[in-house]
Amino acid sequence: MPSYEQLREILDPATTVLLTVECQQGVVGTESALPELGEEARSSGALANVARLVIAAHHSGVQVVHAVAERRPDGRGANRNARLFRAAERLPVQQLSGTRAVRIAPPIEVADEDLVVRRLHGLSPLAGTGVDPLLRNLGCRTLLVTGVSANVAIPNAVFDAVNLGYTAVVPADAIAGIPADYTPAMVRNTLALVATVTSTQDVLGVWKRPRRA
């Protein structure tokens, strides 16, 4: 874990963006298309921790970007080149544009200044979604990655962020995947090699203290 001073430098509100990944009703809500993942996100406290980070970001002037995965009812533009995509087409809950399933899930609060970026394809909230130029226009240097899943979208987001030149930070208790014991193993053996791994409480501690003039 980084020291307080190291984390304070990395997470400067002026150059940090908080990214929530697929924290939508149809993924982490009570009517999730993936009930096991949704239950893990809620019962582990990961979803609640994302909500705490979002509130702190709003209070600290940190830009929040919500990355939502959705599809058109006709499926146009969606991938079909992996088993995951084909399985998703058969799920009883579909992440259809404009439906309840693609709304940000409680208890996360969406403020007027937040950006909600929606993608119709792929596995990553960054690759080919237009998020990278948005981040650059916002002056982002550090991307704080939260949400689901630790199996696919979270590592995709971290790798893409690093490849694009951002410093990636992951609060390990604000992400979730299945099975439950996979997430800490993936963080320890993979994400820790390329990202700064921290905790929700440590991030909150950094943002709560006033910065030196």
Side-chain angles (χ1 to χ4, degrees), residues 4 8 52 56 60 201-211:
Y4 170 80
R8 185 180 175 86
R52 293 169 67 202
S60 303
Q201 197 58 43
D202 284 350
V203 175
L204 296 179
V206 166
W207 285 348
K208 280 179 181 176
R209 293 195 191 181
R211 303 183 70 83

Side-chain angles (χ1 to χ4, degrees), residues 25-106:
Q25 298 267 25
V27 177
V28 297
T30 54
E31 300 175 3
S32 171
L34 305 163
E36 189 179 356
L37 176 60
E39 173 61 25
E40 175 60 23
R42 298 190 303 274
S43 63
S44 67
L47 185 60
N49 284 334
V50 175
R52 293 169 67 202
L53 289 166
V54 168
I55 290 173
H58 292 158
H59 290 164
S60 303
V62 173
Q63 178 67 53
V64 179
V65 175
H66 304 281
V68 174
E70 59 182 50
R71 60 184 286 119
R72 288 167 48 111
D74 60 11
R76 288 182 182 272
N79 289 68
R80 293 183 178 83
N81 57 338
R83 195 176 89 183
L84 176 65
F85 301 121
R86 296 191 293 273
E89 291 178 348
R90 300 191 297 271
L91 292 173
V93 177
Q94 293 290 306
Q95 314 298 318
L96 299 181
S97 301
T99 66
R100 174 183 170 86
V102 296
R103 297 176 189 166
I104 301 300

Side-chain angles (χ1 to χ4, degrees), residues 23-197:
C23 291
Q24 57 204 73
Q25 298 267 25
V27 177
V28 297
T30 54
E31 300 175 3
S32 171
L34 305 163
E36 189 179 356
L37 176 60
E39 173 61 25
E40 175 60 23
R42 298 190 303 274
S43 63
S44 67
L47 185 60
N49 284 334
V50 175
R52 293 169 67 202
L53 289 166
V54 168
I55 290 173
H58 292 158
H59 290 164
S60 303
V62 173
Q63 178 67 53
V64 179
V65 175
H66 304 281
V68 174
E70 59 182 50
R71 60 184 286 119
R72 288 167 48 111
D74 60 11
R76 288 182 182 272
N79 289 68
R80 293 183 178 83
N81 57 338
R83 195 176 89 183
L84 176 65
F85 301 121
R86 296 191 293 273
E89 291 178 348
R90 300 191 297 271
L91 292 173
V93 177
Q94 293 290 306
Q95 314 298 318
L96 299 181
S97 301
T99 66
R100 174 183 170 86
V102 296
R103 297 176 189 166
I104 301 300
I108 297 172
E109 299 177 1
V110 181
D112 290 340
E113 63 268 24
D114 293 0
L115 296 175
V116 180
V117 181
R118 303 176 184 278
R119 76 178 195 272
L120 294 173
H121 62 86
L123 300 170
S124 171
L126 270 71
T129 62
V131 170
D132 178 37
L134 286 178
L135 295 178
R136 296 190 187 281
N137 289 343
L138 291 165
C140 177
R141 295 179 60 187
T142 298
L143 192 64
L144 186 68
V145 181
T146 66
V148 297
S149 75
N151 304 76
V152 179
I154 294 298
N156 261 262
V158 170
F159 293 149
D160 286 345
V162 172
N163 286 332
L164 289 167
Y166 301 102
T167 296
V169 177
V170 178
D173 56 355
I175 65 172
I178 50 175
D181 59 358
Y182 175 76
T183 300
M186 188 275 300
V187 170
R188 183 174 59 253
N189 295 301
T190 302
L191 295 190
L193 302 177
V194 295
T196 297
V197 176

